[in-house]
Amino acid sequence: MSGKLSLLSSIRWLALMTVLPGALLAADLQIEHVTIVSPERAAPITDARVRVHDGRIVDIQRAGSATDQPHNGAEVIDGSGLFLAPGLIDSHVHLGEIPGMTPDQEAAHPDIAKAARDQIPRSYLLYGFTTLIDLISTPQGVARWKSHGVVPDMYFCGGAALMDGYSMNYAPKPQRYQGWPYMLIESGTQAPDGIDPAMHTPQAVVSRMKSDGAICVKTFFERGFGEDRNLPVPKLDTIRALVKAAHNAGMPVLMHANSDEAHKFGVDAGVDVLAHGMWNWNLEHSTTSEITPGIKKILDAELKNNVGVQPTIQVLYGIKELFSTSYLSDPQLSRVFPSNLIDWYRSPEGQWFHQSLSQEMKFPADASPAQQELDLNERFVSVVDRVLHTTAYLAARHGRILFGTDTPSAPTFANPPGLNGWLEMHRLLDAGETPAQIFVSATLTNARALKLDREIGTVQVGKRANLLLLRQDPTQTIDAYAGIAKVILNGRVLDPLGLTANSAR
Ligand SMILES: [Zn+2]
């Protein structure tokens, strides 16, 4: 009986194959005479032909080899003078919110919010980001992202914050507990009403995220800043247990850490990636931004253990630029934000986060906006220098630097989607990285760290066709990403003109 059934089904399968050979076998896309730049290669392949079928790279040939004819129905692109590179991966984003807008403000301005949410995915693509890793999301967050049509591929980590610690502290109680399904509750801590602490052990939260489809675990070590400086932080044993459970489930652990204390904690706990550079030196009682013996010891431990680090230098600029008097007039912004959103950012309501930070900064009462800008720039000099110096130290010693922006890192409009990635590249150049190092970080290093390297990160047969056609060699200049010729997303060719905000499409 069962033998007969399987025979029948294989006959049906064969019949299908003979009916549909064209549809099954034709290359959807063929790129001719292109120079392939891929991070696993020491040198480019010139004058290559690349075939894409069903959203994957199926063939790469040098010119002059046997089959010169394009397959029936394939879209052919002449890649003469162009470079074919893998699509970029931003390994640290937050896609749930519109930069600078609270959920209440979003509800009050549905038209602006709709235009923003429709544009944000396109803005990432415009700067070459075909894959995004949202470090704190849920299956509902993924579904919402996918509802916007043409969107970069998105993967997510579950956010394993310590109960009432950073960054769940910002939401009011008790609603915050609903928004953090993977929070950790340490033994000896009183669980909130109606929540079973057994569901919030390291093992339990990792199992739940895994079955929800997360590919990674995000946790936090942050005592706080601004008005909340005494937040609870996890015990070392808790994070070691989280790492063990995650590794057993095949998932990397990323930890929010921007201070020397947090970086040291993360290395001791065995996390895979530190999700920020080291710009707060709290253990050091020096005012210098030159690397001290104490800082060097932590960086050397990161190198020795091959810990991944996301410098995320634009996080600091996302605060700093809120005080810039010219920022909202930057023409680059109008490529990535709808004009009604930029207008709203200018309004008193849109300036709310700037206002709240102004009060925290305690500027002199009579300080003009220009004076505030100067004052703030001065205050940021040493913190920016510290992240530049620690990043440079790792980069010079072949540390495992991941490319991530943390867009948007706070409710700031000065972390614009896509553009923020390109700006982060400028900051990495400031730290002494080369365009080639940045290229490897944003492709293969990221793909490996997130265990996505069988799918993406290089231009190789079998990989997903998330590709960029560039007018310049990305290993030579980051300007290659500022005027992309074509973005290819799962085999679909996208024209950057159609991805730009405020264009008639
Ligand atoms: Zn983040």
Side-chain angles (χ1 to χ4, degrees):
M1 182 72 185
S2 68
K4 205 174 175 183
L5 263 178
S6 71
L7 181 68
L8 269 176
S9 58
S10 52
I11 289 170
R12 263 162 69 201
W13 173 236
L14 279 171
L16 209 72
M17 291 286 279
T18 52
V19 171
L20 298 170
L24 283 172
L25 301 175
D28 304 330
L29 174 65
Q30 188 159 316
I31 306 165
E32 302 277 355
H33 309 298
V34 77
T35 298
I36 297 176
V37 182
S38 190
E40 83 290 3
R41 298 189 164 275
I45 313 179
T46 54
D47 201 3
R49 179 192 311 117
V50 176
R51 287 206 174 102
V52 171
H53 174 67
D54 268 357
R56 283 188 191 268
I57 300 170
V58 292
D59 189 35
I60 298 177
Q61 298 282 332
R62 285 179 186 273
S65 47
T67 47
D68 267 315
Q69 290 305 309
H71 280 255
N72 286 343
E75 177 180 356
V76 179
I77 296 180
D78 181 4
S80 303
L82 298 176
F83 298 86
L84 186 69
L88 303 178
I89 304 163
D90 188 335
S91 61
H92 189 162
V93 297
H94 300 285
L95 302 173
E97 58 253 46
I98 298 169
M101 244 190 179
T102 66
D104 287 349
Q105 290 169 334
E106 179 167 353
H109 301 283
D111 293 355
I112 301 174
K114 185 182 183 308
R117 287 197 179 272
D118 287 345
Q119 178 57 40
I120 287 169
R122 294 168 177 272
S123 298
Y124 278 107
L125 292 166
L126 185 65
Y127 282 90
F129 293 95
T130 53
T131 303
L132 303 172
I133 318 296
D134 188 326
L135 294 197
I136 313 173
S137 193
T138 57
Q140 294 75 28
V142 177
R144 185 174 195 184
W145 177 253
K146 287 188 175 158
S147 72
H148 290 279
V150 179
V151 298
D153 291 344
M154 170 202 179
Y155 299 88
F156 77 102
C157 303
L162 182 66
M163 185 184 87
D164 295 333
Y166 185 84
S167 57
M168 62 184 290
N169 61 300
Y170 293 110
K173 287 183 191 179
Q175 296 92 315
R176 68 170 62 154
Y177 304 118
Q178 306 313 312
W180 288 83
Y182 316 116
M183 72 172 169
L184 294 168
I185 303 180
E186 290 180 334
S187 58
T189 313
Q190 179 69 42
D193 280 350
I195 289 179
D196 178 2
M199 298 289 284
H200 294 274
T201 63
Q203 179 62 58
V205 298
V206 166
S207 302
R208 196 136 28 92
M209 325 178 168
K210 177 89 179 173
S211 66
D212 284 351
I215 64 161
C216 43
V217 178
K218 169 81 181 289
T219 192
F220 306 83
F221 188 98
E222 175 62 68
R223 294 189 189 278
F225 36 78
E227 304 196 325
D228 302 298
R229 290 175 181 273
N230 289 300
L231 297 171
V233 292
K235 295 185 181 110
L236 190 57
D237 283 349
T238 303
I239 302 306
R240 283 185 174 155
L242 185 72
V243 168
K244 193 173 169 206
H247 288 180
N248 284 341
M251 297 159 88
V253 177
L254 294 84
M255 193 179 84
H256 164 97
N258 59 37
S259 66
D260 46 1
E261 182 192 18
H263 271 234
K264 183 177 181 311
F265 178 94
V267 174
D268 290 346
V271 304
D272 300 283
V273 177
L274 298 162
H276 297 290
M278 200 199 308
W279 57 70
N280 288 320
W281 297 1
N282 300 333
L283 303 175
E284 296 294 302
H285 296 289
S286 72
T287 52
T288 178
S289 54
E290 298 307 318
I291 289 174
T292 63
I295 296 296
K296 180 177 181 300
K297 202 171 155 196
I298 300 168
L299 293 169
D300 286 341
E302 289 171 8
L303 289 167
K304 179 166 168 275
N305 295 341
N306 201 28
V307 180
V309 175
Q310 298 171 329
T312 66
I313 308 171
Q314 274 297 113
V315 168
L316 301 172
Y317 284 73
I319 301 299
K320 207 161 92 104
E321 305 281 28
L322 274 180
F323 291 83
S324 158
T325 50
S326 58
Y327 185 80
L328 288 172
S329 311
D330 184 339
Q332 294 182 110
L333 269 196
S334 60
R335 298 185 75 213
V336 295
F337 280 141
S339 57
N340 60 355
L341 181 62
I342 297 175
D343 290 343
W344 182 78
Y345 288 149
R346 288 197 175 96
S347 71
E349 195 188 358
Q351 291 283 322
W352 73 274
F353 188 54
H354 169 251
Q355 285 308 329
S356 109
L357 285 181
S358 294
Q359 279 159 18
E360 227 172 80
M361 301 284 172
K362 299 193 168 54
F363 294 116
D366 57 347
S368 68
Q371 284 165 328
Q372 290 188 8
E373 181 178 2
L374 266 175
D375 184 343
L376 202 82
N377 282 343
E378 260 168 47
R379 294 192 211 185
F380 268 80
V381 169
S382 75
V383 68
V384 169
D385 278 351
R386 285 173 172 191
V387 71
L388 291 180
H389 292 159
T390 48
T391 303
Y393 188 92
L394 296 174
R397 289 159 185 79
H398 307 287
R400 192 156 69 92
I401 297 180
L402 275 65
F403 184 88
T405 57
D406 194 13
T407 304
S409 57
T412 171
F413 53 68
N415 273 170
L419 174 58
N420 207 41
W422 193 58
L423 296 174
E424 177 73 13
M425 292 180 185
H426 287 77
R427 306 287 88 83
L428 295 170
L429 294 180
D430 294 344
E433 283 202 52
T434 63
Q437 281 175 308
I438 295 168
F439 174 66
V440 175
S441 283
T443 54
L444 190 53
T445 308
N446 271 355
R448 281 185 177 144
L450 275 308
K451 300 183 190 293
L452 295 171
D453 51 312
R454 288 180 60 167
E455 289 285 302
I456 52 171
T458 60
V459 183
Q460 285 178 297
V461 170
K463 295 269 174 110
R464 209 104 52 80
N466 281 352
L467 301 165
L468 307 177
L469 271 170
L470 304 169
R471 297 187 174 92
Q472 297 180 80
D473 181 345
T475 66
Q476 302 300 314
T477 173
I478 61 166
D479 288 345
Y481 312 110
I484 295 175
K486 299 273 186 226
V487 177
I488 300 167
L489 182 66
N490 289 303
R492 182 172 169 189
V493 182
L494 304 171
D495 189 330
L497 281 176
L499 299 170
T500 312
N502 309 308
S503 68
R505 47 171 190 260

